[in-house]
C-alpha cells in the first residue's frame, strides 16, 4: 500500500497528468460541500445587515411596566396588584400578562380594523389558573382570525390555551428548534404535529413530509411596532391594521427572548420573521448538490485555462477577480432569491488549483527554457555551418572558377596555337567561359544572400544621387542590350540627393534592368523613369517582354523562385528579386510589380526622401 501511494504521488507530481490534477482539486472541493454547515449563514446575515421594513406584518409590543400600570386601573384581581408591587418585572411569565378585560378591549380594537390575522405569542393555558369568561368575550377570543400560542407541538391538555376550539384551528405552536449553540436558525415542519403559529398566520397549506426550513433573517427592527397602550388609548390611526398580520407579544421578559444570528429577539418579533418567510416564501434554500458540483466543475476548467494561458502575476489577478465575482454572485443570489451558493468550497478550489498548477507551470517553463537553450545551441551550430559554407565558396570555389576563366581568356588570345585551326575548339572555349561566368554569378548571388541574412549585416547609408547610380548601371548593361538590339531608354527627372546604401541600391537597379533586358525579345525596348514627390522618389523599370503570369506573380519575391517556363529559356538563381525587395525594405521603401502576359512588365520602387 505504501509503495502504491508513493507511485501515485510521483504520478501526480509529474507533468504527464494535466487533467488528473484538475479532477483531484474538483473532487476535493466537492467534498467540502458536505461541510457547509448552517452556522455559516450567520456571517452572511450580518454582512447583509438590516433590510427594508415589511409592510405586511405589525408587532404589538406589551411593556411589562406599562401593563402593570394599566392593570392597576382596569384589573379587579387583587392578587395581581400585589404582584405589580414587586419591582422585578424582567422575569415575569406569560401568565402575568393575562387580564380578560384588557385583552377583550385590545382584541376588539384590533379586529375592528379587519386585519388578515392576529397572533398572540403569549401562552395562556393552565398557567393562568381556572378562569371564568363570559360568552361574549369567549366568542371574541375564539374569533377565526385570532391564533393563540401553544407552548408545545403536541395537542395535550396542558399545552393548549383556554381559548382552544374543538377543531384546534385557532392555535399554533411556539416551540423552538435550537441548535447545539443555543441559536435558533430553523423551524420544523412535521405533518404529524401541531403547525407553528407562523404557519397558522400565513395560512400555508398542509405539508406531507417532515423537514426543517432555514429562516431567512432580515435583521432587527424590520417590522412596524406599536405599543399596547397606544391601542387601548385609541391612539392608532384608522385602517392601521387593515389587511395586515398582527403579532402581539411582550418586550422585556427574559423568557420571551430568543437567541438568533442577530442576537436576542423578542418572541413576537422572531415569529414575525418566520411568518414573513412563510408569506413571501423566503426561507433559505439549497440547490441540489449536483448543481453545486457542476458549478465547481466549470470553475475548475476556467481556473486551469487561466493558469496555463497567462503568466503567474496575471493568473493571480484573474484568480482574485474570480473569487470576488463568485462572492458577489453568491451574496446577490442570497439576498435576491434566498438561494445559498457556498463560497468556501469555491475558494478552496481556486487555492488548490493555484498551488497544484504552479508546480506544473514551473516545470513547463523549465522545459521551455531547456528547449530554448537547445534551439540556441542548434542555431549557433547552424550559423557556424553557414560561415564555413561561405568560406568554402569564397576560397575553394571562387578561386578555381577565376583560374578557369583566366585560362580560357589566355587560350583565346594565343592565336598562334595550332589548335585554333579547328573551329569547334574556339566554340568550346567560349561555351566554357559562358558556363564559368554563369556559375560565378550564381555563387555571387548565394554569397549575397548569406551575407545579408547574417546577424552582422548592416546597411551603410551615404548621401548620393540615385540618378547617377542608374546611369552607371545602364552604361554597364548597354552592351547586353545592344547584343539584342534593345532600345535602352532613360527618362530621369532632376532630384535632390538622398541617403541610401549605394552598393545595395546598385544591386537592386542592376537586377531589375538586367532582368528587363534578359526577358525582352529582340528589337524591344526598356525604359527607366524616375520622378520625385514631396515624400518619396519613384523609380519605374518598364520593358516590352513577354510578361509574368498571375500564378508566378504570387511567388516572384520568394527565395529561389523562378517562373515555370523560365528554367528552359533563361538562366538565373531565383534570388535577384528576393534580394531587391529585401534591400528596398531595409531603406523603408516598397517595391511592386504590374505585369500582363504579352504586354510587358513594370517594376515600381518607392524610396522615402527622409529615412531613419
Amino acid at each position: 500500500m505504501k509503495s502504491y501511494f508513493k507511485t501515485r504521488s510521483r504520478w501526480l507530481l509529474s507533468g504527464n497528468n494535466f487533467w488528473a490534477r484538475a479532477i483531484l482539486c474538483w473532487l476535493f472541493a466537492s467534498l467540502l460541500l458536505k461541510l457547509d454547515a448552517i452556522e455559516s449563514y450567520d456571517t452572511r446575515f450580518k454582512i447583509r445587515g438590516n433590510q427594508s421594513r415589511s409592510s405586511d406584518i405589525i408587532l404589538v409590543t406589551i411593556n411589562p411596566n406599562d401593563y402593570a400600570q394599566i392593570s392597576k386601573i382596569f384589573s379587579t384581581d387583587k392578587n395581581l396588584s400585589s404582584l405589580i408591587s414587586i419591582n422585578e418585572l424582567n422575569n415575569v411569565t406569560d401568565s402575568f400578562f393575562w387580564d380578560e378585560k384588557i385583552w377583550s378591549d385590545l382584541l376588539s380594537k384590533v379586529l375592528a380594523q379587519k386585519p388578515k390575522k392576529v397572533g398572540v405569542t403569549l401562552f395562556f393555558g393552565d398557567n393562568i389558573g381556572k378562569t371564568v369568561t363570559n360568552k361574549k368575550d369567549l366568542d371574541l377570543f375564539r374569533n377565526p382570525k385570532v391564533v393563540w400560542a401553544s407552548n408545545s407541538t403536541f395537542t395535550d391538555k396542558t399545552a393548549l390555551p383556554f381559548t382552544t376550539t374543538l377543531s384546534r384551528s385557532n392555535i399554533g405552536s411556539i416551540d423552538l428548534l435550537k441548535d447545539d449553540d443555543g441559536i435558533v436558525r430553523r423551524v420544523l415542519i412535521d405533518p404529524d404535529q401541531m403547525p407553528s403559529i407562523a404557519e397558522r398566520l400565513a395560512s400555508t397549506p398542509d405539508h406531507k413530509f417532515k423537514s426543517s426550513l432555514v429562516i431567512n433573517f432580515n435583521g432587527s427592527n424590520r417590522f412596524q411596532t406599536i405599543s399596547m397602550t397606544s391601542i387601548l388609548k385609541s391612539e392608532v390611526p384608522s385602517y392601521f391594521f387593515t389587511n395586515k398580520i398582527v403579532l402581539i407579544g411582550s418586550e422585556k421578559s427574559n423568557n420571551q427572548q430568543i437567541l438568533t444570528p442577530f442576537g436576542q429577539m423578542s418572541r413576537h418579533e422572531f415569529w414575525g420573521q418566520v411568518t414573513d418567510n412563510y408569506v413571501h416564501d423566503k426561507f433559505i434554500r439549497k440547490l441540489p448538490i449536483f448543481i453545486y458540483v457542476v458549478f465547481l466543475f466549470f470553475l475548475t476548467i476556467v481556473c486551469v485555462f487561466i493558469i496555463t494561458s497567462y503568466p503567474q502575476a496575471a493568473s493571480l489577478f484573474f484568480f482574485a477577480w474570480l473569487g470576488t465575482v463568485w462572492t458577489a454572485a453568491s451574496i446577490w443570489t442570497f439576498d435576491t432569491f434566498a438561494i445559498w451558493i457556498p463560497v468556501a468550497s469555491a475558494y478552496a478550489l481556486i487555492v488548490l488549483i493555484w498551488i497544484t498548477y504552479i508546480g506544473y507551470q514551473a516545470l513547463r517553463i523549465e522545459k521551455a527554457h531547456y528547449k530554448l537553450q537547445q534551439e540556441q545551441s542548434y542555431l549557433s551550430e547552424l550559423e557556424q555551418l553557414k560561415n564555413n559554407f561561405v568560406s568554402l565558396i569564397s576560397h575553394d570555389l571562387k578561386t578555381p572558377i577565376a583560374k578557369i576563366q583566366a585560362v580560357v581568356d589566355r587560350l583565346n588570345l594565343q592565336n598562334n596555337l595550332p589548335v585554333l585551326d579547328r573551329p569547334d575548339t574556339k566554340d568550346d572555349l567560349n561555351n566554357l567561359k559562358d558556363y564559368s561566368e554563369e556559375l560565378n554569378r550564381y555563387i555571387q548571388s548565394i554569397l549575397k544572400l548569406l551575407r545579408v541574412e547574417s546577424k552582422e549585416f548592416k546597411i551603410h547609408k551615404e548621401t548620393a544621387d540615385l540618378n547617377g547610380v542608374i546611369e552607371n548601371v545602364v552604361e554597364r548593361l548597354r552592351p547586353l542590350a545592344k547584343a539584342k538590339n534593345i532600345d535602352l531608354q532613360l527618362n530621369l527627372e532632376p532630384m535632390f540627393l538622398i541617403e541610401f546604401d549605394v552598393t545595395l541600391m546598385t544591386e537592386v537597379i542592376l537586377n531589375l534592368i538586367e532582368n528587363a533586358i534578359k526577358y525582352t525579345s529582340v528589337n524591344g525596348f526598356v525604359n527607366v523613369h524616375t520622378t520625385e514627390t514631396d515624400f518619396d522618389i519613384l523609380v519605374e523599370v518598364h520593358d516590352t517582354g513577354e510578361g509574368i503570369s498571375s500564378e508566378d506573380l504570387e511567388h516572384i519575391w520568394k527565395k529561389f523562385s523562378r517562373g515555370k517556363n523560365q528554367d528552359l529559356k533563361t538562366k538565373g538563381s531565383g534570388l535577384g528579386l528576393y534580394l531587391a525587395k529585401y534591400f528596398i525594405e531595409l531603406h523603408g521603401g516598397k517595391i511592386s510589380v504590374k505585369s500582363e502576359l504579352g504586354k510587358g512588365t513594370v517594376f515600381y520602387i518607392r524610396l522615402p526622401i527622409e529615412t531613419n
Side-chain angles (χ1 to χ4, degrees):
M1 183 65 69
K2 185 176 181 181
S3 174
Y4 173 80
F5 280 113
K6 282 186 176 180
T7 304
R8 294 293 92 187
S9 299
R10 292 194 196 99
W11 177 74
L12 179 61
L13 296 174
S14 67
N16 301 322
N17 53 352
F18 180 86
W19 287 110
R21 297 166 182 259
I23 292 174
L24 287 176
C25 294
W26 169 59
L27 291 176
F28 184 80
S30 299
L31 291 175
L32 290 179
L33 293 172
K34 291 291 185 181
L35 304 178
D36 185 23
I38 191 173
E39 289 81 359
S40 60
Y41 298 173
D42 294 1
T43 304
R44 189 66 62 84
F45 291 137
K46 294 174 183 177
I47 292 174
R48 179 170 61 183
N50 294 333
Q51 301 294 295
S52 59
R53 282 195 165 193
S54 171
S55 60
D56 301 315
I57 298 174
I58 296 177
L59 303 182
V60 177
T61 302
I62 306 175
N63 184 284
N65 291 297
D66 294 342
Y67 188 82
Q69 297 299 323
I70 293 175
S71 297
K72 287 180 180 180
I73 300 173
F74 293 100
S75 177
T76 58
D77 189 347
K78 296 181 179 179
N79 293 328
L80 180 62
S81 300
S82 63
L83 179 62
I84 296 171
S85 64
I86 301 174
N87 195 25
E88 295 180 358
L89 296 176
N90 286 336
N91 293 320
V92 295
T93 61
D94 289 2
S95 60
F96 169 79
F97 297 98
W98 175 250
D99 184 276
E100 180 179 340
K101 186 176 186 308
I102 293 175
W103 279 93
S104 175
D105 192 14
L106 176 65
L107 291 177
S108 295
K109 291 180 180 298
V110 173
L111 291 173
Q113 293 191 14
K114 298 182 179 180
K116 281 185 179 179
K117 291 280 187 178
V118 178
V120 180
T121 60
L122 297 167
F123 174 67
F124 300 126
D126 290 347
N127 59 334
I128 63 173
K130 188 174 182 180
T131 180
V132 178
T133 306
N134 60 61
K135 185 177 185 305
K136 179 181 177 182
D137 287 345
L138 187 60
D139 290 341
L140 174 66
F141 295 153
R142 290 181 175 178
N143 188 296
K145 289 188 175 182
V146 181
V147 179
W148 297 84
S150 170
N151 60 6
S152 174
T153 57
F154 299 98
T155 57
D156 56 341
K157 185 176 180 180
T158 59
L160 298 178
F162 79 94
T163 56
T164 304
T165 60
L166 293 176
S167 64
R168 306 290 197 269
S169 61
N170 69 330
I171 60 174
S173 171
I174 55 173
D175 195 22
L176 302 175
L177 182 62
K178 296 182 179 180
D179 292 331
D180 294 338
D181 56 1
I183 297 177
V184 180
R185 299 182 177 89
R186 295 171 293 173
V187 291
L188 181 65
I189 296 178
D190 191 341
D192 298 327
Q193 297 181 9
M194 182 190 303
S196 68
I197 190 171
E199 291 180 78
R200 293 293 197 194
L201 294 173
S203 302
T204 58
D206 295 335
H207 297 276
K208 297 181 180 180
F209 303 100
K210 183 177 180 179
S211 64
S212 61
L213 301 176
V214 180
I215 304 170
N216 186 0
F217 289 97
N218 289 281
S220 57
N221 302 319
R222 171 163 168 72
F223 307 109
Q224 190 170 3
T225 304
I226 191 168
S227 67
M228 180 193 70
T229 305
S230 298
I231 299 174
L232 294 176
K233 292 181 178 181
S234 300
E235 297 175 352
V236 180
S238 59
Y239 305 105
F240 184 73
F241 299 114
T242 303
N243 208 29
K244 300 291 194 308
I245 296 175
V246 182
L247 282 98
I248 306 174
S250 173
E251 178 187 35
K252 288 186 177 179
S253 179
N254 286 341
N255 62 358
Q256 293 276 338
Q257 300 298 310
I258 298 173
L259 190 59
T260 71
F262 277 98
Q264 287 190 340
M265 283 186 182
S266 62
R267 187 191 296 169
H268 65 316
E269 183 180 6
F270 170 81
W271 285 109
Q273 297 267 357
V274 179
T275 304
D276 187 54
N277 275 224
Y278 274 116
V279 170
H280 298 288
D281 191 22
K282 291 169 59 176
F283 288 101
I284 302 300
R285 298 189 300 276
K286 276 188 173 183
L287 300 175
I289 193 169
F290 79 89
I291 295 181
Y292 296 133
V293 171
V294 171
F295 284 167
L296 291 176
F297 178 76
F298 284 111
L299 182 62
T300 301
I301 294 176
V302 172
C303 289
V304 170
F305 170 77
I306 289 174
I307 200 168
T308 55
S309 302
Y310 297 95
Q312 289 186 11
S315 298
L316 186 61
F317 169 79
F318 282 124
F319 274 31
W321 180 80
L322 271 178
T324 303
V325 170
W326 187 280
T327 303
S330 177
I331 293 174
W332 177 77
T333 306
F334 186 84
D335 291 346
T336 306
F337 304 106
I339 296 176
W340 173 256
I341 296 180
V343 174
S345 54
Y347 282 167
L349 175 63
I350 291 173
V351 172
L352 280 173
I353 290 180
W354 173 263
I355 295 174
T356 303
Y357 277 86
I358 280 297
Y360 172 82
Q361 196 175 34
L363 180 62
R364 190 181 66 171
I365 292 173
E366 184 178 353
K367 286 184 176 180
H369 181 66
Y370 176 72
K371 185 177 180 180
L372 182 61
Q373 286 182 329
Q374 285 186 321
E375 289 179 354
Q376 288 178 341
S377 176
Y378 172 75
L379 290 175
S380 178
E381 293 178 1
L382 187 62
E383 184 70 20
Q384 185 61 40
L385 288 174
K386 183 191 290 186
N387 293 336
N388 294 339
F389 180 67
V390 172
S391 177
L392 173 66
I393 295 179
S394 299
H395 298 90
D396 297 345
L397 291 180
K398 286 179 64 178
T399 302
I401 291 173
K403 291 180 179 179
I404 292 173
Q405 291 178 342
V407 171
V408 171
D409 290 338
R410 187 172 63 252
L411 290 176
N412 279 329
L413 292 174
Q414 293 176 352
N415 295 326
N416 56 344
L417 291 179
V419 74
L420 294 177
D421 295 335
R422 294 178 297 200
D424 55 341
T425 302
K426 187 170 184 178
D427 292 338
D428 291 340
L429 290 174
N430 289 332
N431 290 336
L432 183 60
K433 182 179 180 181
D434 293 339
Y435 296 151
S436 64
E437 289 178 352
E438 181 183 336
L439 181 58
N440 185 51
R441 283 195 301 271
Y442 187 79
I443 292 173
Q444 292 295 332
S445 298
I446 295 293
L447 289 174
K448 292 175 187 175
L449 176 65
L450 295 174
R451 185 169 64 252
V452 299
E453 291 186 344
S454 67
K455 297 178 180 179
E456 293 79 14
F457 179 76
K458 295 180 181 179
I459 63 174
H460 302 281
K461 293 183 179 180
E462 58 183 288
T463 303
D465 180 16
L466 185 60
N467 283 341
V469 172
I470 295 175
E471 290 172 348
N472 292 335
V473 171
V474 168
E475 288 303 318
R476 289 173 55 184
L477 296 176
R478 281 201 183 277
L480 182 61
K482 188 176 180 180
K484 297 179 67 175
N485 197 26
I486 292 175
D487 183 12
L488 187 54
Q489 302 175 358
L490 288 178
N491 185 10
L492 308 179
E493 295 184 5
M495 297 186 298
F496 288 102
L497 301 180
I498 62 170
E499 288 187 351
F500 59 91
D501 189 312
V502 175
T503 303
L504 297 186
M505 289 307 301
T506 300
E507 290 289 338
V508 173
I509 301 300
L510 179 65
N511 180 271
L512 294 181
I513 298 177
E514 187 177 18
N515 282 348
I517 296 172
K518 185 190 301 184
Y519 295 113
T520 299
S521 57
V522 178
N523 299 324
F525 80 93
V526 174
N527 179 266
V528 182
H529 173 64
T530 61
T531 186
E532 182 180 81
T533 67
D534 293 336
F535 305 102
D536 54 20
I537 289 176
L538 175 63
V539 180
E540 299 181 21
V541 180
H542 179 225
D543 65 63
T544 57
E546 60 188 46
I548 306 172
S549 66
S550 57
E551 295 181 7
D552 291 337
L553 279 174
E554 299 177 2
H555 307 286
I556 61 173
W557 307 112
K558 298 179 181 179
K559 285 187 288 188
F560 304 106
S561 175
R562 305 187 73 241
K564 294 182 178 180
N565 300 324
Q566 298 303 322
D567 290 337
L568 301 176
K569 297 179 180 180
T570 59
K571 300 297 182 180
S573 62
L575 293 172
L577 292 179
Y578 169 79
L579 292 173
K581 184 174 184 294
Y582 186 80
F583 294 155
I584 293 297
E585 290 177 350
L586 282 177
H587 287 78
K590 294 182 179 179
I591 184 171
S592 59
V593 62
K594 181 178 180 182
S595 183
E596 188 176 350
L597 285 177
K599 296 184 179 181
T601 303
V602 184
F603 281 90
Y604 302 93
I605 298 175
R606 287 188 179 275
L607 290 175
I609 294 177
E610 295 183 2
T611 60
N612 295 324

